[in-house]
Amino acid sequence: MDKDRSSVGIAGRRTVCIFVVLAVVVAGLCISNRALGQNRDSVPGSRAVEATGKNEATPSEGQPESSWTLERARSVYTNAQPLHKNYFRTGLETAAFLAIAAGYYYGTLEDRRWYEYTIPKGSFEARFETGDAYRLDNNDWDSNVGHIAAGTGYYLLARTNDLSLTESFLVAAGASTFWELFGELRDEFSINDAIMTPIGGFAIGEPMFQLGEFFQHSAPSIPNRALGFLFGPSAAIHRWLDNTTPKAPENVDKYCLTTDAWHRFRVFAGGGGSYSPDADEFRSEAQMGFDFEVITAEKFGKPGEASINYLDGVYNELAFQAALDGSTLVDLRFFSKTAFLGHYEQCISMDEQSQTLRGSSLFVGLGSAFEYYNHSFIGMRREDRQAICDLVGPTLIADFYRCGLHVRATAELYPSFSMVTPTAGTLYDETHNISGVKSVYRFESYYYALGATVGGRVEMEYGPFGLDGRVRYHYFDSIDGLDRYEDSRVTDDIEFQDQRLGLQLTLFYALPIENFKLGLSAEKIYRWSDIDTMAWSGDETRFFGNVVFEF
């Protein structure tokens, strides 16, 4: 059942093209913003702030704040409009979304082997009486990843109608459950879709929403309007309909971006390669990607004291990277993360003599993440793929400032629900009869897993130098007994277990060209895979040099 790499890589190459275009567009728009920002009079109603590496303090600088809030992260913007929750429009838009999905589903699904039930009566009995309809589906990989994109759409429709984080998640979960119960009446109730659609949609949707808010609350330049629409299209449309587009912010930086919230945007490209000790082979690669971060905690990175409880996504990151060997995609990663529902504490002052920050800040709360990982190990025919929904788990983020040194430490732990392609699969398929194993593996070469994710990150910045160290460990254990054909065709429900450990260290150096840095990174990937009684393990070392545009 092994698939040719060129055939399964088509979707990946299309994805990489989309994200490369996105990175180029973002960089171009920000350079255009910079050109506009050179002339302060070109930004009506805004005051440009000289770039000093620190955001300008708020008027309440130095005064501690303490409160509990549901929407405080959005209120960090001084030009934010009052919230008006529109439940009615949310319902209409979600219903329209579902209607379009139903039209596509029933208009294109011609292969009747995907229909579990021939008449609705059997479907209703299995859903509401016997419970037999609740199964893990065996759809193709891209279709199931597409459900996560649908969940992102559900979430953003609600969030940009001014619903809270919790309400928006409930809308996404409700729409997904409604679709599984009543939209696909001839199919099983897909447990994996009911989990990954709202969780993945939330983990991607909240960072997208916060990025869209950041650009839409920045100066009303054409680049910012374009970036605001790119990350928050439904918010831009709703504001246009309601005539509630934010006015120009009081303070902007040289890129016409608001200084009310902290941000760090990186776009990078370069080259390097991977080395496999098992194959004793080196592969040269070109690499490109971006890493966008927005932090909406009040006064973060500015002098002042704060003690605030948040429900909103306060720390948000959206990252993408790809590597190609010639025209062949060999590595593709998409990562989205939000930290929410926690307490933020800060005590930071400005050293009058050195004009540098000193003090610390701490966020303790919950987080959720989504990771799409697709890597081709040297010498392996089958790609190593995982779509990982990190559910909800504890997150700790600490920042320390002293004498021009900035250190940030992050630790996180999540339970996870994932789709996994086992690296031992090729070897197992060649030596075993797989006719009685899980149908999703037999047809599509992946399995569903419960597991855990442990992550940590330490960053340091001092003068022109920067250091970024990351560790991320994943454990996957197959879900047994819930296959679509568990009672008929699965006669050998073997167990799958996989693990992945990633270690990465990057050194940054600020180049003489403003806003450009040189990034030198080393990465180690360890991979373990067990199928029944067969085991496989391997590792790869990767080195890259990148030119980084940071703004």
Side-chain angles (χ1 to χ4, degrees):
M1 299 296 293
D2 196 14
K3 294 186 172 136
D4 184 80
R5 181 178 296 172
S6 62
S7 65
V8 296
I10 293 175
R13 286 194 290 273
R14 291 174 179 169
T15 304
V16 112
C17 289
I18 292 172
F19 277 102
V20 168
V21 171
L22 175 62
V24 171
V25 169
V26 170
L29 289 172
C30 291
I31 291 172
S32 301
N33 246 9
R34 174 66 188 277
L36 288 172
Q38 297 296 329
N39 179 5
R40 298 186 180 187
D41 294 332
S42 65
V43 187
S46 300
R47 182 167 61 88
V49 179
E50 294 295 339
T52 61
K54 296 172 282 293
N55 291 324
E56 184 172 280
T58 60
S60 58
E61 175 183 332
Q63 299 178 6
E65 296 187 17
S66 179
S67 64
W68 176 264
T69 175
L70 297 183
E71 292 290 337
R72 190 59 173 270
R74 203 184 317 192
S75 70
V76 70
Y77 300 109
T78 54
N79 57 339
Q81 298 283 346
L83 298 180
H84 297 288
K85 296 185 179 185
N86 197 328
Y87 296 104
F88 180 71
R89 187 165 63 189
T90 300
L92 284 180
E93 291 174 341
T94 303
F97 199 114
L98 290 169
I100 293 171
Y104 174 80
Y105 177 79
Y106 289 104
T108 61
L109 216 59
E110 299 176 355
D111 190 345
R112 299 194 63 82
R113 74 187 180 93
W114 297 112
Y115 290 121
E116 187 75 15
Y117 308 102
T118 57
I119 56 174
K121 182 178 183 297
S123 177
F124 278 106
E125 288 177 349
R127 278 164 164 75
F128 301 108
E129 295 182 19
T130 66
D132 293 337
Y134 296 85
R135 301 287 184 176
L136 297 170
D137 70 35
N138 52 17
N139 291 352
D140 66 88
W141 179 276
D142 291 339
S143 293
N144 278 336
V145 172
H147 282 84
I148 298 170
T152 304
Y154 295 140
Y155 183 85
L156 286 175
L157 285 178
R159 199 74 168 98
T160 56
N161 272 310
D162 286 344
L163 272 64
S164 70
L165 177 150
T166 304
E167 292 170 327
S168 301
F169 173 77
L170 291 175
V171 167
S176 175
T177 302
F178 180 88
W179 174 258
E180 294 299 328
L181 284 174
F182 304 106
E184 298 175 311
L185 283 177
R186 294 199 172 193
D187 217 335
E188 76 280 354
F189 181 102
S190 175
I191 297 173
N192 48 284
D193 289 345
I195 295 174
M196 298 187 79
T197 300
I199 294 291
F202 164 66
I204 298 173
E206 183 64 15
M208 282 190 63
F209 169 76
Q210 295 295 348
L211 281 166
E213 290 296 284
F214 178 85
F215 287 113
Q216 291 177 33
H217 286 88
S218 293
S221 63
I222 293 177
N224 282 341
R225 288 288 180 252
L227 289 168
F229 184 84
L230 185 65
F231 290 104
S234 53
I237 294 172
H238 290 160
R239 285 182 170 132
W240 177 75
L241 291 172
D242 299 337
N243 194 26
T244 57
T245 301
K247 297 180 181 179
E250 182 180 350
N251 297 313
V252 297
D253 63 13
K254 60 188 176 184
Y255 286 98
C256 300
L257 301 174
T258 177
T259 60
D260 291 337
W262 184 93
H263 75 279
R264 181 176 62 193
F265 302 148
R266 287 173 173 163
V267 179
F268 59 88
S274 301
Y275 173 73
S276 170
D278 296 325
D280 192 21
E281 183 179 339
F282 178 83
R283 178 178 64 201
S284 59
E285 302 170 17
Q287 188 182 64
M288 65 207 74
F290 61 80
D291 190 353
F292 294 166
E293 295 178 83
V294 168
I295 299 176
T296 55
E298 289 194 33
K299 303 181 182 178
F300 179 86
K302 307 172 185 177
E305 298 182 13
S307 179
I308 306 175
N309 298 311
Y310 285 100
L311 174 59
D312 264 4
V314 183
Y315 289 76
N316 302 277
E317 180 179 7
L318 203 65
F320 166 82
Q321 73 175 44
L324 297 97
D325 175 16
S327 60
T328 304
L329 177 66
V330 294
D331 187 81
L332 173 66
R333 306 183 195 184
F334 173 80
F335 179 75
S336 182
K337 170 191 169 183
T338 185
F340 62 100
L341 189 58
H343 180 74
Y344 177 74
E345 194 83 27
Q346 170 181 313
C347 183
I348 298 175
S349 61
M350 177 73 74
D351 187 285
E352 295 182 0
Q353 185 174 0
S354 64
Q355 287 297 295
T356 58
L357 298 177
R358 60 184 302 167
S360 62
S361 65
L362 175 67
F363 176 85
V364 179
L366 298 178
S368 184
F370 173 78
E371 180 179 358
Y372 184 94
Y373 170 88
N374 189 330
H375 181 74
S376 296
F377 281 95
I378 296 173
M380 292 186 64
R381 296 196 306 273
R382 185 176 296 178
E383 295 172 313
D384 182 26
R385 297 183 300 179
Q386 294 124 43
I388 307 166
C389 281
D390 292 322
L391 306 180
V392 176
T395 296
L396 183 148
I397 306 171
D399 285 79
F400 174 81
Y401 305 86
R402 181 83 174 189
C403 300
L405 173 68
H406 177 201
V407 179
R408 179 182 299 168
T410 303
E412 54 204 5
L413 172 64
Y414 307 109
S416 63
F417 184 98
S418 309
M419 297 160 51
V420 182
T421 299
T423 48
T426 302
L427 181 61
Y428 187 87
D429 295 356
E430 292 174 347
T431 56
H432 293 75
N433 181 0
I434 65 170
S435 60
V437 303
K438 295 174 176 63
S439 63
V440 66
Y441 180 76
R442 189 166 70 250
F443 296 144
E444 303 296 337
S445 301
Y446 72 89
Y447 68 92
Y448 299 105
L450 294 175
T453 298
V454 181
R457 182 177 180 182
V458 176
E459 302 174 80
M460 292 184 287
E461 292 181 342
Y462 185 78
F465 296 99
L467 195 66
D468 186 349
R470 308 187 189 201
V471 57
R472 200 163 184 85
Y473 169 77
H474 300 280
Y475 173 77
F476 311 102
D477 191 7
S478 63
I479 302 173
D480 305 325
L482 289 173
D483 190 86
R484 187 178 190 214
Y485 299 120
E486 188 70 30
D487 301 327
S488 55
R489 305 180 192 177
V490 177
T491 59
D492 188 15
D493 200 2
I494 58 176
E495 183 179 15
F496 296 76
Q497 286 187 343
D498 282 82
Q499 301 175 71
R500 174 165 62 91
L501 173 63
L503 307 172
Q504 185 174 8
L505 184 65
T506 304
L507 174 66
F508 295 100
Y509 179 74
L511 298 173
I513 306 173
E514 189 178 11
N515 292 102
F516 280 88
K517 293 184 177 182
L518 176 64
L520 302 175
S521 66
E523 180 184 8
K524 190 75 174 180
I525 305 173
Y526 294 96
R527 194 69 171 81
W528 302 271
S529 183
D530 295 89
I531 302 179
D532 199 16
T533 59
M534 178 170 288
W536 178 93
S537 63
D539 64 89
E540 239 176 46
T541 304
R542 313 179 76 216
F543 300 96
F544 289 94
N546 288 302
V547 175
V548 183
F549 177 51
E550 181 177 311
F551 56 99

